[in-house]
């Protein structure tokens, strides 16, 4: 068994859409100012324009001025406009389209407490748009309505038609089941709250009704609460012990791509009173609540759907054509949107906050869809419209795609407290007017001869007239006609038989019956002849009508072609005009932009010239300052050079004097030491007096002085003791840490006395890490003495911190370790011996050990160089 191949589901063809488009009709209605409100922020300027004034304390401009804005609509209705005038301009056209088989959508929009429900429903004596629409519908089709249950819904947004017999059976079955409540037979049973909504003199009736069709009205009423759909006409069994919550409905798409509420109850109504009674029964179930701004605030979006089903009559004009494809279904949706609100103003809490959030979100989705539709139409984009984000937009997406006419009534409250919300409503209304909706296509014309109902009635009237001329009763019943014909025959003679051999009565009776039979045949032939003649006349009339209709259809077809050409030309002209307007708008924008750029260019050029002039002045001023500063620097440099030379000469003279004094002291000390080595107790040396300083005449002049030479190490001392021992107090008893710097090139002399330093860190080269941990420093230095022996010097110093974050070593004193042989004379002359008499010395002031040790050595932070690489020539202050 071969398995059948699985194919894709074919796409359903879409309905042909018209190229003509109409903008969304937006109307504005201003409600009267309340008695407790004093300030008004809305002014009606004309029949199409209103102006908004900012209230006291609300400043919209930066300069503190009040901003006034104007908004235009298709028509503006002031506070004195009646409900009848509003219906005539807004909803009457939608009702006409409904009867002609076209869809329509009318919704009210505005902030809470702006009069939306009153505009849609009204009050006794002041009926709103909804009751007036129902009244106009039934005033127009009342004489052409089909019997109840002839039209029947198929639960898929479609309609079926059945015969009158089936409709009667269906009615009996429905009444037995009590599923649908019976209609109110009179106006006395109406709710007093909705009685007399419309005055008789305010009734409207549509023109051009198709008399060859039968009509039937179905109504349904739903609400969208918290983005869920509920049926307000659904009959639920009330259980006082355990009540059941209402079940939400879902949206579906029918075979014509129209959205509908699946499982929604549709009630067939036969009068405006019955329809409004059904509406009021559902209105009582609608979600309302008392808020700070509105005593009966709608908490949901309500949608009242009026569905009109119509089907043509058959060729005889007696019964409805039993063809489902010939049924035309149109609907008018009347939507009362819940008002946008701010929870801070309404004082909502708990459930009311959730309701307000869902209301505002659904209205925001509606604005978003309108914005994207407007952008797609004006900019030529193809963005996806998010209809499915909200139930209210998903339900009515077909209307914005070209399935009917759309109109909106913007209700506003002129009080100052609603100014900010009214601004948002006005901006949305202004944007909605720019959206265009495709015009719906007219329904196809039935192929039957028009005027069938009228001809059928005329035929019946003519038949009654003929019968009346013959003296018969004007009755449409067949039995009465037959009885009348029987009475017109000759009477029967007396048929009493007194003798069985009576030959007179029976022949007379036979003759009378034959005469009656002959008269009856003559009447039948005459009636048939008249019927044939009437039939031929009717056929001739039908042929004439058909020929005339064909001629009219041909002419209409030609006119339709001409109209189509004209419409195409008009559409092309509108497109070109729109394109021209867009181009002109773009040119204006470009011209304004060019003017702005030219102004900016001129201002920038002026600013550039100003800055260039300023720069030239600054450059000339800079050159003058440079010349002036160059002269000042040259003069200052010359002065400081002279001052430095003077100071250097003075310092050299002072250092030479000090060196001369020290040499004299060393000579005396040497003499004392030499005398102490002679045998025998020497006499105490005479008290030496201060050597006389050479006079100014004996001192060499600056030109005769030989500059002192610097040596890499201090000059040797004649004894093992420091020349000038310095003592300082320890910071703590044995608490000092030393950096023992012993170069790797030091030799082991094998002496008995060895320097042992406790708490010392031994390093071969000083580094910042070691210096940061210690507060004393000692350098072991070996050199060749004047007698050829190696002597060891311990150069000590203090570690101090510098401002740069490093460590500096300031040398304080020197300890000398030296080995001497008693037999080895001095090989090298002391620096103090053999000094020239005139006081000239070859060694400079920097060769003196004390002078060298009194100079601080600094190691900067982050430097890898040891002490001695960077010197600060700062002489240590000595004690007096």
């Amino acid at each position: 068994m071969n398995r059948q191949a699985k194919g894709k589901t074919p796409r359903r063809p879409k309905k042909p859409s018209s190229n003509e488009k109409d903008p969304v009709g937006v109307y504005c209605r201003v409600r009267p100012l309340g008695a407790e409100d004093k300030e008004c922020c809305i002014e009606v300027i004309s029949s199409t324009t209103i102006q908004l004034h900012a209230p006291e304390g609300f400043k919209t401009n930066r300069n503190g001025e009040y901003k006034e804005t104007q908004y235009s609509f298709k028509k503006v209705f002031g506070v004195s406009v009646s409900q009848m005038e509003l219906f005539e301009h807004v909803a009457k056209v939608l009702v006409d389209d409904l009867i002609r088989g076209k869809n329509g959508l009318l919704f009210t929009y505005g902030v809470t407490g702006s009069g939306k429900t009153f505009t849609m429903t009204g009050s006794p004596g002041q009926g709103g748009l909804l009751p007036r629409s129902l009244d106009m519908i039934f005033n127009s089709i009342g004489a052409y309505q089909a019997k109840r249950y002839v039209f029947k819904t198929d639960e898929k947004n479609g309609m079926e038609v059945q015969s009158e017999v089936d409709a009667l059976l269906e009615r009996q079955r429905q009444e037995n089941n009590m599923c649908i409540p019976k209609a109110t037979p009179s106006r006395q049973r109406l709710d007093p709250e909705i009685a007399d909504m419309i005055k008789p003199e305010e009734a409207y009736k549509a023109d051009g009704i198709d008399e060859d069709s039968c009509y039937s009205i179905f109504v349904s009423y739903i609400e969208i609460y918290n983005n869920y759909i509920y049926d307000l006409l659904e009959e639920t069994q009330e259980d006082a012990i355990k009540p059941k919550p209402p079940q939400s409905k879902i949206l579906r798409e029918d075979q014509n791509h129209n959205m509908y509420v699946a499982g929604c109850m549709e009630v067939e109504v036969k009068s405006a009173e019955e329809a409004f009674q059904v509406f009021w029964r559902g209105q009582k179930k609608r979600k309302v609540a008392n808020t700070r701004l509105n005593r009966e605030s709608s908490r949901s979006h309500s949608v009242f759907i009026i569905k009109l089903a119509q089907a043509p009559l058959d060729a005889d004009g007696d019964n409805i054509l039993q063809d489902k494809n010939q049924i035309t279904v149109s609907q008018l949706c009347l939507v009362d949107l819940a008002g946008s609100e701010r929870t801070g103003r309404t004082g909502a809490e708990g459930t009311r906050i959730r309701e307000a959030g869902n209301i505002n979100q659904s209205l925001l989705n509606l604005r978003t869809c309108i914005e994207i539709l407007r952008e797609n139409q004006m900019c030529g984009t193809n963005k996806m419209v998010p209809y499915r984000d909200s139930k209210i937009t998903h339900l009515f997406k077909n209307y914005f795609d070209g399935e009917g006419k759309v109109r909106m009534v913007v209700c506003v409250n002129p009080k100052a407290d609603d100014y900010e919300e009214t601004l948002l409503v006005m901006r949305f209304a202004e944007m909605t007017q720019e959206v265009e909706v495709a015009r719906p296509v007219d329904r196809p014309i039935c192929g039957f001869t028009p005027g069938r109902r009228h001809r059928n009635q005329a035929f019946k009237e003519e038949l009654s007239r003929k019968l009346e001329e013959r003296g018969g009763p004007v009755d449409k019943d067949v039995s009465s006609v037959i009885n009348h014909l029987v009475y017109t025959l000759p009477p029967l003679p007396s048929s009493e038989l007194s003798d069985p051999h009576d030959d007179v009565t029976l022949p007379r009776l036979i003759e009378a019956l034959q005469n009656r039979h002959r008269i009856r045949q003559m009447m039948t032939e005459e009636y048939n002849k008249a019927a044939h003649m009437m039939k031929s006349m009717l056929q001739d009339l039908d042929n004439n009508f058909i020929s005339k209709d064909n001629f009219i259809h041909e002419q209409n077809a030609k006119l339709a072609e001409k109209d189509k050409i004209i419409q195409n030309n008009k559409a092309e002209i509108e497109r070109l005009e729109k394109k021209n307007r867009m181009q002109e708008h773009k040119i204006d924008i470009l011209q304004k932009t060019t003017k702005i750029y030219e102004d900016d260019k001129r201002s920038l050029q002026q600013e550039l010239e100003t800055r260039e002039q300023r720069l030239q002045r600054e450059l000339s001023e800079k050159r003058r300052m440079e010349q002036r500063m160059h002269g000042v620097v040259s003069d200052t440099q010359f002065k400081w050079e002279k001052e430095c030379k003077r100071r250097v000469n003075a310092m050299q003279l002072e250092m030479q004097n000090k060196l001369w004094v020290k040499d004299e002291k060393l000579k005396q000390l040497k003499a004392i030491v030499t005398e102490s080595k002679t045998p025998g107790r020497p006499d105490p040396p005479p008290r030496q007096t201060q050597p006389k300083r050479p006079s100014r005449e004996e001192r060499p002049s600056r030109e005769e002085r030989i500059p002192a030479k610097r040596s890499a190490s201090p000059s040797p001392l004649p004894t093992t003791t420091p020349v000038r021992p310095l003592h300082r107090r320890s910071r703590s008893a044995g608490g000092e840490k030393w950096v023992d710097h012993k170069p790797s090139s030091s030799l082991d002399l094998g002496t008995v006395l060895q320097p042992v330093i406790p708490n010392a860190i031994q390093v071969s080269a000083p580094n910042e890490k070691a210096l940061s941990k210690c507060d004393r420093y000692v350098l072991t230095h070996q050199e060749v003495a004047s007698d050829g022996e190696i002597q060891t010097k311990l150069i000590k110093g203090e570690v101090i911190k510098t401002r740069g974050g490093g460590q500096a070593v300031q040398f304080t004193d020197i300890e000398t370790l030296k080995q001497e042989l008693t037999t080895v004379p001095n090989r090298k002359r002391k620096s103090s011996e053999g000094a020239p008499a005139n006081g000239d010395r070859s060694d400079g002031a920097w060769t003196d050990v004390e002078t060298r040790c009194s100079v601080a050595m600094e190691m900067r932070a982050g430097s890898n160089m040891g002490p001695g690489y960077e010197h600060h020539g700062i002489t240590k202050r000595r004690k007096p």
Side-chain angles (χ1 to χ4, degrees):
M1 181 177 179
N2 294 331
R3 200 168 182 179
Q4 186 176 0
K6 209 170 189 181
K8 294 183 179 179
T9 303
R11 294 181 62 87
R12 289 172 292 184
K14 292 186 177 181
K15 290 183 179 180
S17 59
S18 175
N19 294 327
E20 300 178 358
K21 291 186 177 181
D22 296 322
V24 176
V26 181
Y27 302 83
C28 179
R29 186 180 192 183
V30 183
R31 68 163 290 176
L33 194 66
E36 67 278 2
D37 299 322
K38 298 180 180 179
E39 187 176 2
C40 179
C41 64
I42 296 178
E43 178 184 359
V44 179
I45 297 179
S46 64
S47 61
T48 58
T49 308
I50 66 171
Q51 184 172 348
L52 267 68
H53 305 277
E56 292 290 339
F58 187 87
K59 298 179 180 179
T60 57
N61 289 346
R62 294 182 178 178
N63 56 5
E65 298 179 356
Y66 294 107
K67 184 178 180 182
E68 296 180 353
T69 54
Q70 292 184 0
Y71 298 93
S72 298
F73 298 90
K74 192 169 183 179
K75 190 170 182 60
V76 175
F77 302 97
V79 296
S80 60
V81 173
S82 63
Q83 297 276 59
M84 183 179 68
E85 185 177 353
L86 178 68
F87 171 78
E88 183 177 0
H89 287 87
V90 178
K92 183 176 180 296
V93 178
L94 297 179
V95 176
D96 288 334
D97 290 344
L98 175 70
I99 296 174
R100 289 176 175 83
K102 299 178 183 179
N103 298 332
L105 171 63
L106 173 63
F107 60 95
T108 56
Y109 182 83
V111 299
T112 181
S114 59
K116 299 183 298 299
T117 303
F118 176 77
T119 300
M120 185 62 69
T121 306
S123 61
Q126 296 181 352
L129 300 178
L130 190 147
R132 292 181 184 274
S133 299
L134 292 172
D135 184 69
M136 180 178 175
I137 291 171
F138 284 102
N139 289 339
S140 303
I141 67 170
Y144 311 110
Q145 289 192 75
K147 293 183 179 180
R148 198 181 294 270
Y149 300 111
V150 171
F151 290 97
K152 179 182 178 183
T153 60
D154 60 356
E155 305 297 333
K156 294 181 181 179
N157 204 31
M159 285 289 173
E160 296 177 350
V161 64
Q162 54 188 357
S163 62
E164 294 184 1
V165 177
D166 295 335
L168 182 60
L169 295 176
E170 180 74 17
R171 179 177 181 178
Q172 292 177 353
R173 184 168 60 253
Q174 294 291 344
E175 290 179 355
N176 292 332
N177 295 333
M178 294 298 291
C179 291
I180 298 177
K182 295 182 180 180
T184 55
S186 64
R187 297 171 58 94
Q188 301 299 327
R189 297 186 182 181
L190 290 177
D191 196 317
E193 294 185 12
I194 61 173
D196 299 328
M197 295 289 288
I198 303 173
K199 299 177 182 179
E201 61 271 11
E202 296 178 354
Y204 282 92
K205 184 177 181 181
D207 299 329
I209 303 298
D210 186 8
E211 299 178 355
D212 296 326
S213 298
C214 285
Y215 303 88
S216 186
I217 299 294
F218 295 83
V219 295
S220 58
Y221 196 19
I222 63 172
E223 72 170 350
I224 301 176
Y225 175 70
N226 290 337
N227 208 26
Y228 289 98
I229 300 177
Y230 298 98
D231 187 3
L232 296 177
L233 301 181
E234 185 177 12
E235 295 291 339
T236 57
Q237 296 180 357
E238 297 182 359
D239 190 353
I241 300 175
K242 189 177 180 181
K244 294 182 180 180
Q247 298 294 324
S248 62
K249 307 297 181 180
I250 60 175
L251 291 176
R252 293 189 184 276
E253 188 177 17
D254 62 3
Q255 60 180 358
N256 296 322
H257 303 280
N258 294 324
M259 303 304 300
Y260 70 97
V261 181
C264 179
M265 186 175 181
E266 295 178 344
V267 181
E268 185 178 6
V269 291
K270 293 301 177 182
S271 65
E273 293 80 7
E274 181 185 356
F276 198 71
Q277 182 73 20
V278 173
F279 163 76
W280 194 250
R281 188 174 75 243
Q283 183 73 4
K284 292 181 180 179
K285 297 181 181 180
R286 190 181 175 189
K287 304 292 189 306
V288 294
N290 184 11
T291 63
R292 191 183 299 171
L293 301 180
N294 193 354
R295 185 171 58 87
E296 293 183 357
S297 176
S298 302
R299 313 310 295 170
S300 62
H301 308 301
S302 67
V303 182
F304 187 76
I305 303 174
I306 304 173
K307 188 174 292 187
L308 174 63
Q310 53 183 315
L313 296 174
D314 56 7
D316 295 333
D318 283 337
N319 300 317
I320 299 175
L321 188 64
Q322 301 292 314
D323 187 1
K324 183 177 180 181
N325 296 326
Q326 295 295 330
I327 301 175
T328 302
V329 180
S330 57
Q331 65 181 13
L332 173 62
C333 296
L334 304 175
V335 185
D336 182 13
L337 295 177
S340 60
E341 60 184 36
R342 295 185 179 181
T343 56
R345 294 186 57 214
T346 59
E349 295 180 355
T351 307
R352 300 293 171 259
I353 293 180
R354 181 188 174 196
E355 293 171 352
N358 288 318
I359 291 171
N360 295 334
Q361 183 63 36
S362 61
L363 295 178
L364 178 61
N365 292 333
L366 178 61
R367 293 174 192 162
T368 304
C369 294
I370 296 295
E371 287 177 0
I372 296 178
L373 279 173
R374 171 177 169 270
E375 182 179 356
N376 290 340
Q377 292 177 3
M378 297 188 67
C379 301
T381 58
N382 193 17
K383 293 184 178 180
M384 184 186 70
V385 183
Y387 291 118
R388 294 179 179 269
D389 291 350
S390 176
K391 291 291 193 303
I392 191 71
T393 55
H394 194 194
L395 179 61
F396 299 121
K397 80 178 189 67
N398 304 102
Y399 290 92
F400 294 102
D401 291 340
E403 289 294 335
K405 190 174 293 184
V406 181
R407 292 197 171 184
M408 180 175 70
V409 179
V410 177
C411 300
V412 292
N413 194 337
K415 66 178 182 179
D417 294 338
D418 292 346
Y419 176 74
E420 295 186 45
E421 289 88 344
T422 304
L423 276 179
L424 298 177
V425 170
M426 290 298 158
R427 291 169 186 168
F428 172 68
E430 190 175 31
M431 176 183 60
T432 306
Q433 294 182 99
E434 300 177 359
V435 176
E436 294 182 347
V437 179
R439 187 176 299 175
V441 182
D442 295 335
R443 64 189 180 97
I445 301 175
C446 181
F448 294 106
T449 305
R452 300 182 300 280
R453 184 191 295 268
H454 181 69
R455 287 199 303 272
N456 187 21
Q457 292 178 355
F459 174 74
K460 291 180 179 179
E461 292 176 358
E462 183 67 21
L463 182 61
S464 299
R465 188 179 62 83
K466 291 288 185 181
L467 291 175
E468 186 178 2
E469 289 177 355
R470 289 180 176 272
V474 184
D475 194 354
K476 300 179 183 179
D477 192 25
V478 179
S479 60
S480 62
V481 174
I482 295 175
N483 294 330
H484 176 71
L485 292 175
V486 171
Y487 291 147
T488 57
L489 294 175
L492 293 175
S494 178
S495 57
E496 293 182 359
L497 294 176
S498 58
D499 188 4
H501 302 283
D502 189 0
D503 296 333
V504 178
T505 302
L506 290 177
R508 189 187 303 168
L509 180 61
I510 292 171
E511 184 180 359
L513 290 176
Q514 288 177 352
N515 190 16
R516 288 171 67 96
H517 179 67
R518 186 173 59 254
I519 294 174
R520 185 175 180 182
Q521 285 181 348
M522 291 175 60
M523 291 179 64
T524 303
E525 290 177 358
E526 185 180 356
Y527 179 79
N528 290 333
K529 188 182 296 184
H532 286 299
M533 186 180 299
M534 188 68 180
K535 188 174 181 180
S536 61
M537 291 174 62
L538 290 175
Q539 287 179 354
D540 294 338
L541 290 175
D542 286 339
N543 293 329
N544 292 330
F545 276 122
I546 290 172
S547 61
K548 290 180 180 179
D549 287 338
N550 293 332
F551 179 74
I552 291 172
H553 284 310
E554 291 177 359
Q555 297 298 324
N556 289 333
K558 292 180 180 179
L559 289 176
E561 292 179 357
K562 298 294 183 181
D563 289 338
K564 188 174 182 181
I565 295 173
I566 293 172
Q567 294 298 332
N568 292 334
N569 293 332
K570 287 183 179 179
E572 184 67 19
I573 292 172
E574 290 178 357
R575 186 184 67 81
L576 293 175
E577 288 178 352
K578 186 175 180 181
K579 186 177 180 181
N580 189 19
R581 288 194 298 269
M582 291 180 64
Q583 295 296 332
E584 290 177 354
H585 181 64
K586 289 181 180 179
I587 290 172
D588 294 337
I589 293 174
L590 291 176
Q591 288 178 353
K592 292 179 181 179
T593 307
T594 305
K595 185 177 179 181
I596 293 171
Y597 284 162
E598 289 178 354
D599 295 340
D600 293 343
K601 181 181 178 181
R602 285 195 295 270
S603 61
L604 290 175
Q605 285 179 351
Q606 294 176 359
E607 185 177 358
L608 181 61
E609 293 175 358
T610 305
R611 292 192 177 185
E612 286 181 353
Q613 295 176 2
R614 189 186 306 166
L615 182 60
Q616 293 296 333
R617 290 196 300 269
E618 290 179 354
L619 288 175
S620 60
E621 184 69 23
K622 182 179 179 182
R623 284 194 293 269
R624 288 196 297 271
M625 289 294 295
E626 286 179 353
Q627 294 176 1
R628 190 182 301 115
M629 293 303 297
H630 184 69
V632 173
V633 168
S634 301
D635 296 341
T636 306
Q637 184 177 3
F638 179 73
K639 290 179 181 180
W640 276 106
E641 285 179 356
K642 290 178 65 178
E643 181 67 20
C644 288
K645 288 181 181 179
R646 187 186 64 78
R647 290 184 181 181
V648 168
N649 293 334
M651 184 63 71
Q652 287 180 355
L653 182 60
E654 183 180 358
M655 295 303 294
Q656 287 179 0
N657 292 336
K658 289 182 180 180
L659 185 60
W660 181 79
V661 171
K662 290 181 181 180
D663 287 342
E664 290 298 329
K665 289 182 180 180
L666 288 175
K667 288 179 182 179
Q668 293 178 6
L669 184 59
K670 181 178 179 182
I672 294 172
V673 173
T674 305
E675 290 180 359
S676 63
K677 290 182 180 180
T678 57
R681 187 171 183 178
D683 296 332
R687 185 174 183 180
Q688 296 183 357
T689 59
Q690 183 72 19
K692 184 178 180 181
R693 298 181 62 180
S695 62
R696 185 177 299 273
E697 291 79 5
E698 295 177 356
R699 294 179 184 174
S701 62
R702 293 182 179 179
E703 290 79 4
E704 296 174 355
R705 293 173 186 166
I706 301 173
K709 298 180 180 180
R710 295 184 180 180
S711 61
S713 61
S715 59
L717 296 178
T719 59
T720 59
T721 59
V723 176
R724 188 186 177 199
L726 299 177
H727 302 282
R728 59 184 286 275
R729 294 179 63 183
S730 62
R731 299 179 183 175
S732 62
E736 297 179 346
K737 294 193 68 174
W738 290 75
V739 176
D740 189 2
H741 180 192
K742 291 184 178 180
S744 58
S745 60
S746 300
L747 301 177
D748 187 8
L749 302 180
T751 57
V752 177
L753 298 178
Q754 294 286 340
V756 178
I757 304 173
N759 296 332
I761 299 175
Q762 294 185 0
V763 293
S764 60
N767 53 54
E768 184 182 357
K769 182 177 180 181
L771 290 174
S772 63
K773 295 181 179 180
C774 302
D775 49 14
R776 298 298 299 275
Y777 174 83
V778 59
L779 171 62
T780 303
H781 176 64
Q782 292 181 347
E783 63 180 8
V784 180
S786 58
D787 54 358
E789 297 296 337
I790 297 175
Q791 63 181 2
T792 303
K793 292 185 178 181
L794 302 180
I795 305 173
K796 298 185 292 182
E798 296 180 358
V799 179
I800 60 176
K801 294 183 178 180
T802 62
R803 291 184 179 179
Q807 287 77 28
V809 178
Q810 184 176 4
F811 296 104
T812 56
D813 55 358
I814 299 174
E815 293 183 6
T816 305
L817 300 178
K818 181 180 178 184
Q819 292 180 346
E820 292 184 358
L821 297 177
T822 55
T823 58
V824 179
N826 290 337
R827 297 179 181 177
K828 192 173 182 181
R829 184 167 57 89
K830 304 288 176 64
S831 61
S832 60
E833 295 179 357
N838 56 1
D840 293 339
R841 293 172 292 178
S842 61
D843 295 333
W846 288 95
T847 59
D848 185 34
V849 176
E850 183 179 0
T851 304
R852 291 177 61 196
C853 293
S854 64
V855 178
M857 300 171 63
E858 180 183 1
M859 177 182 295
R860 296 181 182 272
S863 175
N864 295 326
M865 296 185 296
Y869 286 90
E870 297 182 11
H871 300 277
H872 293 276
I874 303 173
T875 307
K876 181 183 176 183
R877 183 189 298 177
R878 292 182 296 176
K879 293 182 181 180

